[in-house]
Amino acid sequence: MNRLQFETSPYLLQHAANPVDWYPWGDEAFEWAKKADRPVLVSIGYAACHWCHVMERESFEEEAVAEIMNSNFVCIKVDREEHPDVDHLYMDALQSISGQGGWPLNMFVTPDRKPFYGGTYFPPRPVYGRASWKDVLQAVAQSWKTQKAEILRQSEQLTLHLKHASTINAGDAVVLDKSFSEKIAANLLRDADTTFGGFGSAPKFPATQALQYLLEHAHFSGNEAALQHALFTLDSMIAGGIYDQIGGGFSRYATDKEWLVPHFEKMLYDNALLISVLCDAYRITQSSHYKEVIEDTIEFCNRELRDDTGLYYSALDADSEGIEGKYYTWTYSEWQEVFPDTHPAITAYFGVLEGGNWEGTNILHRAKDEETIKKEWTLSQDAWQQLLSTHRQQLFEQRQKRIRPATDDKMLLSWNALMNRALTDAAIALNNDDYLQQALAHMEAMLNHFVKADKRLLHVYKNGGAKIEGKLEDYACLTYALIHLAGGSGKVAYLNQVEDCIRHAITDFSDEQDCYFYFSAKQQQDIIVRKTEVYDGAIPSANALMMQILWDAGILLERSDWTERSYKMMQGMAA
């Protein structure tokens, strides 16, 4: 029996009709694995994941493949956003095994939850030197039957390695001065792509934390190179296909170095973080260019992701009608159908080509800047703005008639808190009281839906109820938003919630040295390794946020023990 039909996660429900006998994450599956003496397949993904959909269509929906899985394994489906700690554990294991990562993440583990082999996407047939999913299943099943003792030994070693890797040892004390911050900026700029913006080569992620650091560093130090690269990167993203030129909002990342071709899913956290970075850019430059993108991105989030509760959904899918990007792209014939007599300036501005610019279709982007367009077609500023506004509205209305990508309608506390911070940033940067009122109403919705009677937090809200105990990122992101909103609104009563969150974070998540914080609470029993997350991922490191929170709240609430711990964390990471 496929048990996913009883779940609320959109990702798990996507797999509820598979012939695979999926279990959700929990004790029941592992208890059955022990009784049946079977290895466990933990398959992790998320609702907006393109390659997760591909592997489901190719393998998990196939009766013959499901028969192998059901006969030899206990199979668990995990929504990585519901269980980020499970995802962290097995992603670390995969990177230790292969040096690679990504989703879907398929990890084979013992009935004691210890990993021993895994990979990401496996094709239905061997191709490009990659084994087929069926071959992998049969090889692992055979190894379990004939070499189980060796597998158990290797899983023990890998688990010990993961435990050791998660231990953060502070080095010698480092002087945190101006030269140290210059060194950080120099290290970031060393990896800067000065041709197209961003850092490194394809695929290109927004790298919001790096951009925010460069902007803040430039503001306080006058470092012109830091400022110019941060602004150049933002401008390049805004001009690219990663930014939705018609409906606002940013896609997850670009698959190319030029920012043209996005991986089309739109995540709440990316848009929240980019709003905050754009607010910093606006405060430094006062450019209306950034103001417009901030406003359009907030409008996208409110229109496409906001629920009747006042909370925000997690994501929009990359695919519609089973095709990645179909909702957002335009064939030349579709373009001509909407604009049979369009002004050539609009076609040139959005880079629309007869043969398309991606797989026979067109990803709209700003192929030429506005000044060039106005000069080439002798258009005044008012005439150009009227032309652009009219055509964008027509495109938006036409696109609304298409089949929309699916929405991952679960609501995560940590991502909502990042969006709250973004609304407060926009209220301050743009001097916009409407955004401040939105932030206040949204904060009340979070406090009403995610906070338990004992003041501890829950992680995810769906179908009228919150569930899963809060992770460190929930405490860190919410507290970060509360402090910021208290400052932005003058409502110091929020500092009471700040104190509650910090108290529980210290009690439930502190490591043995009372320095850093584990990602999962001490009460949680289903994780074999408690990870200390210190590196920024898609969202800022929860420990980095806790360091900032302890410093700010320690000063505001006159808690020297908190500021001392924050400084200890800072020095340890600096080393």
Side-chain angles (χ1 to χ4, degrees):
M1 179 184 74
N2 186 324
R3 294 155 180 81
L4 302 187
Q5 60 189 296
F6 306 112
E7 294 297 303
T8 58
S9 158
Y11 177 64
L12 268 54
L13 290 171
Q14 286 170 0
H15 292 76
N18 295 169
V20 178
D21 181 16
W22 292 116
Y23 285 78
W25 178 262
D27 293 338
E28 182 185 2
F30 290 102
E31 288 168 2
W32 167 233
K34 289 176 183 176
K35 289 178 184 176
D37 190 24
R38 289 186 185 180
V40 177
L41 167 67
V42 180
S43 182
I44 305 172
Y46 56 104
C49 169
H50 172 69
W51 286 104
C52 299
H53 299 327
V54 173
M55 191 164 178
E56 181 191 14
R57 287 195 299 269
E58 293 176 343
S59 296
F60 300 150
E61 291 179 354
E62 288 294 317
E63 294 282 353
V65 176
E67 174 59 29
I68 297 173
M69 294 171 68
N70 295 339
S71 299
N72 296 279
F73 302 93
V74 175
C75 302
I76 298 176
K77 241 319 157 191
V78 177
D79 183 333
R80 66 176 286 254
E81 294 160 2
E82 279 198 336
H83 296 283
D85 38 12
V86 177
D87 180 57
H88 283 323
L89 169 63
Y90 293 127
M91 188 62 74
D92 286 350
L94 177 61
Q95 289 172 338
S96 295
I97 292 168
S98 67
Q100 298 177 331
W103 297 275
L105 166 57
N106 292 291
M107 183 60 61
F108 295 94
V109 310
T110 70
D112 291 326
R113 311 181 193 224
K114 296 173 182 175
F116 62 87
Y117 180 72
T120 54
Y121 164 77
F122 290 98
R125 291 167 296 281
V127 64
Y128 304 126
R130 184 183 288 260
S132 73
W133 180 237
K134 194 180 290 187
D135 289 344
V136 169
L137 291 169
Q138 291 170 334
V140 173
Q142 181 63 24
S143 296
W144 183 262
K145 291 172 184 174
T146 60
Q147 302 174 55
K148 187 169 77 170
E150 177 62 18
I151 287 174
L152 295 176
R153 188 184 69 80
Q154 289 180 357
S155 72
E156 290 285 349
Q157 289 181 335
L158 179 54
T159 302
L160 285 173
H161 167 74
L162 294 173
K163 288 179 178 177
H164 177 73
S166 189
T167 303
I168 306 298
N169 294 314
D172 296 332
V174 171
V175 178
L176 301 172
D177 58 8
K178 184 178 177 181
S179 66
F180 189 79
S181 63
E182 289 284 359
K183 186 184 296 184
I184 294 171
N187 286 341
L188 287 171
L189 292 173
R190 192 174 296 127
D191 198 34
D193 180 347
T194 56
T195 304
F196 298 106
F199 303 90
S201 190
K204 285 270 185 74
F205 289 84
T208 45
Q209 286 86 62
L211 295 178
Q212 197 150 35
Y213 181 84
L214 291 178
L215 288 171
E216 290 190 13
H217 176 69
H219 173 71
F220 288 109
S221 71
N223 185 322
E224 189 65 18
L227 174 63
Q228 292 308 316
H229 187 69
L231 296 178
F232 175 52
T233 299
L234 289 172
D235 292 345
S236 299
M237 284 194 285
I238 291 167
I242 191 175
Y243 179 64
D244 184 349
Q245 304 294 335
I246 302 306
F250 291 84
S251 294
R252 177 72 193 93
Y253 63 90
T255 61
D256 62 339
K257 62 185 178 181
E258 294 93 347
W259 303 103
L260 172 65
V261 184
H263 205 20
F264 286 90
E265 71 260 40
K266 288 179 175 178
M267 316 299 289
L268 176 63
Y269 59 78
D270 284 318
N271 285 280
L273 290 166
L274 280 161
I275 290 166
S276 291
V277 175
L278 287 161
C279 286
D280 284 352
Y282 177 74
R283 281 189 278 196
I284 291 171
T285 65
Q286 292 295 299
S287 169
S288 61
H289 167 63
Y290 298 125
K291 180 175 183 284
E292 290 167 9
V293 178
I294 293 165
E295 291 170 343
D296 286 349
T297 304
I298 292 174
E299 184 180 342
F300 155 72
C301 292
N302 288 341
R303 182 183 68 242
E304 303 282 348
L305 295 176
R306 191 163 62 181
D307 180 67
D308 290 342
T309 60
L311 301 172
Y312 289 88
Y313 301 138
S314 298
L316 290 182
D317 207 329
D319 301 6
S320 54
E321 301 179 69
I323 300 172
E324 184 179 9
K326 184 173 183 180
Y327 183 76
Y328 300 102
T329 56
W330 303 80
T331 64
Y332 195 67
S333 61
E334 287 171 335
W335 181 264
Q336 289 185 309
E337 187 180 324
V338 181
F339 302 127
D341 302 311
T342 186
H343 196 295
I346 293 294
T347 301
Y349 178 68
F350 285 123
V352 176
L353 305 174
E354 190 167 350
N357 56 34
W358 178 66
E359 298 185 359
T361 67
N362 287 284
I363 298 170
L364 302 188
H365 63 294
R366 302 182 188 184
K368 293 187 175 184
D369 66 72
E370 294 190 9
E371 292 304 316
T372 301
I373 292 286
K374 288 186 291 183
K375 186 175 180 181
E376 284 188 13
W377 277 275
T378 322
L379 294 165
S380 68
Q381 177 66 19
D382 288 346
W384 166 246
Q385 286 301 322
Q386 181 62 42
L387 191 67
L388 180 60
S389 176
T390 300
H391 282 76
R392 281 187 70 188
Q393 185 60 33
Q394 287 177 288
L395 284 165
F396 180 79
E397 290 171 0
Q398 185 68 21
R399 196 173 76 177
Q400 290 289 85
K401 299 173 185 176
R402 297 177 174 179
I403 295 174
R404 186 176 173 276
T407 304
D408 185 336
D409 61 352
K410 68 179 181 298
M411 291 157 267
L412 299 169
L413 175 53
S414 54
W415 297 6
N416 267 268
L418 292 174
M419 186 62 198
N420 191 268
R421 166 75 191 239
L423 289 169
T424 306
D425 280 334
I428 296 168
L430 306 185
N431 192 25
N432 186 317
D433 187 63
D434 183 51
Y435 291 152
L436 181 59
Q437 296 309 313
Q438 287 184 40
L440 290 166
H442 179 233
M443 179 59 74
E444 290 310 307
M446 286 194 292
L447 297 176
N448 288 337
H449 290 97
F450 288 106
V451 181
K452 301 196 310 183
D454 66 358
K455 305 298 185 182
R456 286 184 168 86
L457 304 178
L458 292 165
H459 176 64
V460 59
Y461 183 88
K462 176 85 191 295
N463 291 359
K467 63 176 187 176
I468 304 176
E469 293 298 315
K471 315 302 176 188
L472 180 63
E473 68 179 25
D474 297 307
Y475 286 84
C477 291
L478 179 61
T479 312
Y480 193 56
L482 282 163
I483 292 172
H484 201 52
L485 185 55
S489 67
K491 294 184 181 295
V492 295
Y494 283 131
L495 296 180
N496 294 327
Q497 276 94 5
V498 166
E499 200 161 10
D500 289 335
C501 286
I502 291 176
R503 180 164 49 84
H504 285 304
I506 289 173
T507 301
D508 296 346
F509 295 90
S510 288
D511 68 9
E512 288 76 9
Q513 288 76 42
D514 287 328
C515 182
Y516 298 105
F517 296 84
Y518 289 118
F519 190 83
S520 53
K522 65 182 180 183
Q523 298 92 330
Q524 193 174 337
Q525 300 300 313
D526 61 349
I527 296 294
I528 58 171
V529 177
R530 294 179 73 195
K531 180 181 174 68
T532 308
E533 179 207 43
V534 293
Y535 291 104
D536 290 333
I539 68 174
S541 154
N543 268 286
L545 289 179
M546 288 303 302
M547 182 176 71
Q548 181 75 58
I549 288 158
L550 288 169
W551 186 265
D552 293 343
I555 292 169
L556 288 167
L557 299 173
E558 298 181 343
R559 290 291 301 265
S560 60
D561 54 329
W562 292 354
T563 54
E564 287 168 10
R565 180 166 180 170
S566 173
Y567 194 73
K568 184 179 176 184
M569 294 173 76
M570 253 187 284
Q571 283 207 307
M573 281 313 300

